[in-house]
Amino acid sequence: QVQLVESGGGLVQAGDSLRLSCAASGRTFSNYAMGWFRQAPGKEREFVAAISGSGGTTFYADSVKGRFTISRDNAKNTVYLQMNSLKPEDTAVYYCAAHRAPLGSWYASNKGYDYWGQGTQVTVSS
């Protein structure tokens, strides 16, 4: 089992950058594919980005491609989401998620992940 704790959210202006972190417990972090999702008020949770256990494979939602970068440091049991050129429509609670398996076709589905953090709020003002 793994516990996930997100941090790094906040209030920023459009065009600014933020880096979210997700710290995981456990000793086999590299065995977990990791994902970032977000949920805006009144909307369903949506996929943002995913990364394989080694960090060698990444996927992004079209809405963030070219602006967001997912990465991980397995020595620190941490996955990151670097968010640049933020837009008001990026405002949401951001969640990290983990699944103990190689990254597969499920990577963009909520149901593909077994473990979730509590979320961190990102607010982008115009």
Side-chain angles (χ1 to χ4, degrees):
Q1 193 165 359
V2 62
Q3 293 182 325
L4 305 173
V5 179
E6 302 98 333
S7 61
L11 172 63
V12 297
Q13 293 186 332
D16 285 351
S17 297
L18 273 178
R19 188 176 80 157
L20 305 183
S21 299
C22 174
S25 64
R27 295 177 292 177
T28 58
F29 182 63
S30 61
N31 290 342
Y32 289 81
M34 301 294 295
W36 284 99
F37 288 74
R38 65 186 181 186
Q39 188 167 19
K43 295 187 177 181
E44 293 186 352
R45 190 173 299 187
E46 65 175 4
F47 168 75
V48 175
I51 189 167
S52 62
S54 66
T57 301
T58 57
F59 295 101
Y60 296 93
D62 288 343
S63 59
V64 306
K65 202 171 293 184
R67 299 188 299 122
F68 291 12
T69 302
I70 188 171
S71 62
R72 65 191 297 160
D73 184 338
N74 286 341
K76 295 183 178 180
N77 280 18
T78 302
V79 63
Y80 304 98
L81 186 68
Q82 177 66 44
M83 305 186 295
N84 299 332
S85 302
L86 282 162
K87 304 175 181 180
E89 51 263 44
D90 294 318
T91 295
V93 177
Y94 283 71
Y95 299 89
C96 71
H99 180 58
R100 188 184 173 96
L103 200 59
S105 58
W106 45 266
Y107 69 86
S109 170
N110 285 318
K111 297 180 180 179
Y113 296 84
D114 303 311
Y115 305 102
W116 292 83
Q118 83 290 347
T120 185
Q121 176 71 47
V122 172
T123 303
V124 185
S125 64
S126 57

PDB file of all heavy atoms in Angstrom, residues 30-48:
ATOM      1  N   SER A  30       9.331   2.879  -7.493  1.00  0.00           N
ATOM      2  CA  SER A  30       9.608   2.726  -8.919  1.00  0.00           C
ATOM      3  C   SER A  30       8.723   1.671  -9.579  1.00  0.00           C
ATOM      4  O   SER A  30       8.678   1.579 -10.811  1.00  0.00           O
ATOM      5  CB  SER A  30      11.083   2.391  -9.140  1.00  0.00           C
ATOM      6  OG  SER A  30      11.401   1.172  -8.501  1.00  0.00           O
ATOM      7  N   ASN A  31       8.025   0.867  -8.788  1.00  0.00           N
ATOM      8  CA  ASN A  31       7.099  -0.125  -9.335  1.00  0.00           C
ATOM      9  C   ASN A  31       5.731   0.455  -9.680  1.00  0.00           C
ATOM     10  O   ASN A  31       4.883  -0.248 -10.230  1.00  0.00           O
ATOM     11  CB  ASN A  31       6.891  -1.272  -8.339  1.00  0.00           C
ATOM     12  CG  ASN A  31       8.121  -2.138  -8.193  1.00  0.00           C
ATOM     13  OD1 ASN A  31       9.009  -2.112  -9.039  1.00  0.00           O
ATOM     14  ND2 ASN A  31       8.180  -2.900  -7.116  1.00  0.00           N
ATOM     15  N   TYR A  32       5.538   1.727  -9.343  1.00  0.00           N
ATOM     16  CA  TYR A  32       4.239   2.358  -9.529  1.00  0.00           C
ATOM     17  C   TYR A  32       4.251   3.332 -10.697  1.00  0.00           C
ATOM     18  O   TYR A  32       5.115   4.218 -10.776  1.00  0.00           O
ATOM     19  CB  TYR A  32       3.824   3.129  -8.276  1.00  0.00           C
ATOM     20  CG  TYR A  32       3.462   2.250  -7.104  1.00  0.00           C
ATOM     21  CD1 TYR A  32       4.439   1.697  -6.301  1.00  0.00           C
ATOM     22  CD2 TYR A  32       2.130   1.988  -6.807  1.00  0.00           C
ATOM     23  CE1 TYR A  32       4.102   0.881  -5.231  1.00  0.00           C
ATOM     24  CE2 TYR A  32       1.772   1.184  -5.732  1.00  0.00           C
ATOM     25  CZ  TYR A  32       2.768   0.635  -4.953  1.00  0.00           C
ATOM     26  OH  TYR A  32       2.417  -0.156  -3.894  1.00  0.00           O
ATOM     27  N   ALA A  33       3.286   3.152 -11.577  1.00  0.00           N
ATOM     28  CA  ALA A  33       2.986   4.211 -12.535  1.00  0.00           C
ATOM     29  C   ALA A  33       2.237   5.304 -11.782  1.00  0.00           C
ATOM     30  O   ALA A  33       1.437   5.017 -10.889  1.00  0.00           O
ATOM     31  CB  ALA A  33       2.133   3.679 -13.679  1.00  0.00           C
ATOM     32  N   MET A  34       2.495   6.548 -12.140  1.00  0.00           N
ATOM     33  CA  MET A  34       1.908   7.677 -11.429  1.00  0.00           C
ATOM     34  C   MET A  34       1.140   8.574 -12.394  1.00  0.00           C
ATOM     35  O   MET A  34       1.518   8.721 -13.563  1.00  0.00           O
ATOM     36  CB  MET A  34       2.996   8.499 -10.751  1.00  0.00           C
ATOM     37  CG  MET A  34       3.842   7.727  -9.756  1.00  0.00           C
ATOM     38  SD  MET A  34       2.899   7.172  -8.327  1.00  0.00           S
ATOM     39  CE  MET A  34       2.447   8.742  -7.577  1.00  0.00           C
ATOM     40  N   GLY A  35       0.109   9.191 -11.869  1.00  0.00           N
ATOM     41  CA  GLY A  35      -0.679  10.112 -12.696  1.00  0.00           C
ATOM     42  C   GLY A  35      -1.061  11.352 -11.928  1.00  0.00           C
ATOM     43  O   GLY A  35      -1.066  11.356 -10.689  1.00  0.00           O
ATOM     44  N   TRP A  36      -1.337  12.412 -12.660  1.00  0.00           N
ATOM     45  CA  TRP A  36      -1.927  13.630 -12.107  1.00  0.00           C
ATOM     46  C   TRP A  36      -3.298  13.818 -12.759  1.00  0.00           C
ATOM     47  O   TRP A  36      -3.434  13.680 -13.987  1.00  0.00           O
ATOM     48  CB  TRP A  36      -1.059  14.854 -12.392  1.00  0.00           C
ATOM     49  CG  TRP A  36       0.163  14.974 -11.543  1.00  0.00           C
ATOM     50  CD1 TRP A  36       1.440  14.615 -11.874  1.00  0.00           C
ATOM     51  CD2 TRP A  36       0.231  15.512 -10.222  1.00  0.00           C
ATOM     52  NE1 TRP A  36       2.279  14.888 -10.838  1.00  0.00           N
ATOM     53  CE2 TRP A  36       1.571  15.448  -9.811  1.00  0.00           C
ATOM     54  CE3 TRP A  36      -0.711  16.056  -9.335  1.00  0.00           C
ATOM     55  CZ2 TRP A  36       2.003  15.896  -8.565  1.00  0.00           C
ATOM     56  CZ3 TRP A  36      -0.289  16.504  -8.107  1.00  0.00           C
ATOM     57  CH2 TRP A  36       1.056  16.421  -7.724  1.00  0.00           C
ATOM     58  N   PHE A  37      -4.262  14.138 -11.945  1.00  0.00           N
ATOM     59  CA  PHE A  37      -5.618  14.443 -12.388  1.00  0.00           C
ATOM     60  C   PHE A  37      -6.023  15.773 -11.765  1.00  0.00           C
ATOM     61  O   PHE A  37      -5.388  16.251 -10.830  1.00  0.00           O
ATOM     62  CB  PHE A  37      -6.592  13.352 -11.947  1.00  0.00           C
ATOM     63  CG  PHE A  37      -6.441  12.053 -12.689  1.00  0.00           C
ATOM     64  CD1 PHE A  37      -5.365  11.210 -12.427  1.00  0.00           C
ATOM     65  CD2 PHE A  37      -7.360  11.671 -13.648  1.00  0.00           C
ATOM     66  CE1 PHE A  37      -5.217  10.014 -13.122  1.00  0.00           C
ATOM     67  CE2 PHE A  37      -7.235  10.473 -14.345  1.00  0.00           C
ATOM     68  CZ  PHE A  37      -6.159   9.649 -14.072  1.00  0.00           C
ATOM     69  N   ARG A  38      -7.089  16.351 -12.283  1.00  0.00           N
ATOM     70  CA  ARG A  38      -7.600  17.580 -11.674  1.00  0.00           C
ATOM     71  C   ARG A  38      -9.121  17.609 -11.744  1.00  0.00           C
ATOM     72  O   ARG A  38      -9.730  16.970 -12.615  1.00  0.00           O
ATOM     73  CB  ARG A  38      -7.020  18.810 -12.368  1.00  0.00           C
ATOM     74  CG  ARG A  38      -7.436  18.993 -13.825  1.00  0.00           C
ATOM     75  CD  ARG A  38      -6.680  20.152 -14.448  1.00  0.00           C
ATOM     76  NE  ARG A  38      -7.070  20.385 -15.839  1.00  0.00           N
ATOM     77  CZ  ARG A  38      -6.478  21.268 -16.638  1.00  0.00           C
ATOM     78  NH1 ARG A  38      -5.446  21.995 -16.191  1.00  0.00           N
ATOM     79  NH2 ARG A  38      -6.912  21.421 -17.870  1.00  0.00           N
ATOM     80  N   GLN A  39      -9.697  18.348 -10.831  1.00  0.00           N
ATOM     81  CA  GLN A  39     -11.151  18.478 -10.788  1.00  0.00           C
ATOM     82  C   GLN A  39     -11.518  19.916 -10.487  1.00  0.00           C
ATOM     83  O   GLN A  39     -11.182  20.444  -9.417  1.00  0.00           O
ATOM     84  CB  GLN A  39     -11.752  17.547  -9.746  1.00  0.00           C
ATOM     85  CG  GLN A  39     -13.268  17.494  -9.787  1.00  0.00           C
ATOM     86  CD  GLN A  39     -13.830  16.337  -8.978  1.00  0.00           C
ATOM     87  OE1 GLN A  39     -13.155  15.771  -8.114  1.00  0.00           O
ATOM     88  NE2 GLN A  39     -15.066  15.968  -9.256  1.00  0.00           N
ATOM     89  N   ALA A  40     -12.192  20.535 -11.434  1.00  0.00           N
ATOM     90  CA  ALA A  40     -12.683  21.891 -11.258  1.00  0.00           C
ATOM     91  C   ALA A  40     -14.093  21.848 -10.670  1.00  0.00           C
ATOM     92  O   ALA A  40     -14.786  20.829 -10.805  1.00  0.00           O
ATOM     93  CB  ALA A  40     -12.695  22.618 -12.600  1.00  0.00           C
ATOM     94  N   PRO A  41     -14.533  22.917 -10.022  1.00  0.00           N
ATOM     95  CA  PRO A  41     -15.870  22.934  -9.430  1.00  0.00           C
ATOM     96  C   PRO A  41     -16.951  22.609 -10.456  1.00  0.00           C
ATOM     97  O   PRO A  41     -16.961  23.179 -11.552  1.00  0.00           O
ATOM     98  CB  PRO A  41     -16.006  24.366  -8.920  1.00  0.00           C
ATOM     99  CG  PRO A  41     -14.605  24.818  -8.679  1.00  0.00           C
ATOM    100  CD  PRO A  41     -13.788  24.162  -9.744  1.00  0.00           C
ATOM    101  N   GLY A  42     -17.810  21.671 -10.118  1.00  0.00           N
ATOM    102  CA  GLY A  42     -18.915  21.318 -10.996  1.00  0.00           C
ATOM    103  C   GLY A  42     -18.540  20.438 -12.171  1.00  0.00           C
ATOM    104  O   GLY A  42     -19.386  20.157 -13.025  1.00  0.00           O
ATOM    105  N   LYS A  43     -17.293  20.010 -12.221  1.00  0.00           N
ATOM    106  CA  LYS A  43     -16.834  19.179 -13.334  1.00  0.00           C
ATOM    107  C   LYS A  43     -16.312  17.850 -12.834  1.00  0.00           C
ATOM    108  O   LYS A  43     -15.970  17.703 -11.662  1.00  0.00           O
ATOM    109  CB  LYS A  43     -15.756  19.905 -14.136  1.00  0.00           C
ATOM    110  CG  LYS A  43     -16.247  21.164 -14.835  1.00  0.00           C
ATOM    111  CD  LYS A  43     -15.185  21.739 -15.742  1.00  0.00           C
ATOM    112  CE  LYS A  43     -15.686  22.951 -16.487  1.00  0.00           C
ATOM    113  NZ  LYS A  43     -14.647  23.508 -17.416  1.00  0.00           N
ATOM    114  N   GLU A  44     -16.222  16.898 -13.744  1.00  0.00           N
ATOM    115  CA  GLU A  44     -15.674  15.604 -13.394  1.00  0.00           C
ATOM    116  C   GLU A  44     -14.146  15.679 -13.313  1.00  0.00           C
ATOM    117  O   GLU A  44     -13.520  16.544 -13.920  1.00  0.00           O
ATOM    118  CB  GLU A  44     -16.088  14.561 -14.433  1.00  0.00           C
ATOM    119  CG  GLU A  44     -17.575  14.272 -14.451  1.00  0.00           C
ATOM    120  CD  GLU A  44     -17.929  13.143 -15.392  1.00  0.00           C
ATOM    121  OE1 GLU A  44     -17.050  12.676 -16.137  1.00  0.00           O
ATOM    122  OE2 GLU A  44     -19.100  12.717 -15.382  1.00  0.00           O
ATOM    123  N   ARG A  45     -13.585  14.753 -12.561  1.00  0.00           N
ATOM    124  CA  ARG A  45     -12.132  14.667 -12.486  1.00  0.00           C
ATOM    125  C   ARG A  45     -11.590  14.269 -13.852  1.00  0.00           C
ATOM    126  O   ARG A  45     -12.118  13.350 -14.498  1.00  0.00           O
ATOM    127  CB  ARG A  45     -11.735  13.637 -11.435  1.00  0.00           C
ATOM    128  CG  ARG A  45     -10.263  13.637 -11.089  1.00  0.00           C
ATOM    129  CD  ARG A  45      -9.975  12.720  -9.926  1.00  0.00           C
ATOM    130  NE  ARG A  45     -10.672  13.128  -8.708  1.00  0.00           N
ATOM    131  CZ  ARG A  45     -10.486  12.565  -7.524  1.00  0.00           C
ATOM    132  NH1 ARG A  45      -9.628  11.577  -7.402  1.00  0.00           N
ATOM    133  NH2 ARG A  45     -11.159  12.986  -6.467  1.00  0.00           N
ATOM    134  N   GLU A  46     -10.532  14.967 -14.281  1.00  0.00           N
ATOM    135  CA  GLU A  46      -9.976  14.695 -15.604  1.00  0.00           C
ATOM    136  C   GLU A  46      -8.483  14.424 -15.538  1.00  0.00           C
ATOM    137  O   GLU A  46      -7.770  14.931 -14.676  1.00  0.00           O
ATOM    138  CB  GLU A  46     -10.243  15.874 -16.553  1.00  0.00           C
ATOM    139  CG  GLU A  46      -9.547  17.158 -16.174  1.00  0.00           C
ATOM    140  CD  GLU A  46      -9.751  18.258 -17.227  1.00  0.00           C
ATOM    141  OE1 GLU A  46     -10.493  18.048 -18.201  1.00  0.00           O
ATOM    142  OE2 GLU A  46      -9.129  19.327 -17.051  1.00  0.00           O
ATOM    143  N   PHE A  47      -8.041  13.640 -16.498  1.00  0.00           N
ATOM    144  CA  PHE A  47      -6.627  13.286 -16.610  1.00  0.00           C
ATOM    145  C   PHE A  47      -5.799  14.492 -17.013  1.00  0.00           C
ATOM    146  O   PHE A  47      -6.215  15.293 -17.854  1.00  0.00           O
ATOM    147  CB  PHE A  47      -6.485  12.178 -17.648  1.00  0.00           C
ATOM    148  CG  PHE A  47      -5.074  11.900 -18.074  1.00  0.00           C
ATOM    149  CD1 PHE A  47      -4.212  11.222 -17.240  1.00  0.00           C
ATOM    150  CD2 PHE A  47      -4.618  12.324 -19.312  1.00  0.00           C
ATOM    151  CE1 PHE A  47      -2.911  10.966 -17.621  1.00  0.00           C
ATOM    152  CE2 PHE A  47      -3.326  12.064 -19.718  1.00  0.00           C
ATOM    153  CZ  PHE A  47      -2.462  11.380 -18.870  1.00  0.00           C
ATOM    154  N   VAL A  48      -4.600  14.584 -16.430  1.00  0.00           N
ATOM    155  CA  VAL A  48      -3.656  15.646 -16.781  1.00  0.00           C
ATOM    156  C   VAL A  48      -2.378  15.059 -17.384  1.00  0.00           C
ATOM    157  O   VAL A  48      -1.975  15.425 -18.479  1.00  0.00           O
ATOM    158  CB  VAL A  48      -3.309  16.508 -15.551  1.00  0.00           C
ATOM    159  CG1 VAL A  48      -2.236  17.530 -15.897  1.00  0.00           C
ATOM    160  CG2 VAL A  48      -4.554  17.189 -14.999  1.00  0.00           C
TER     161      VAL A  48
END
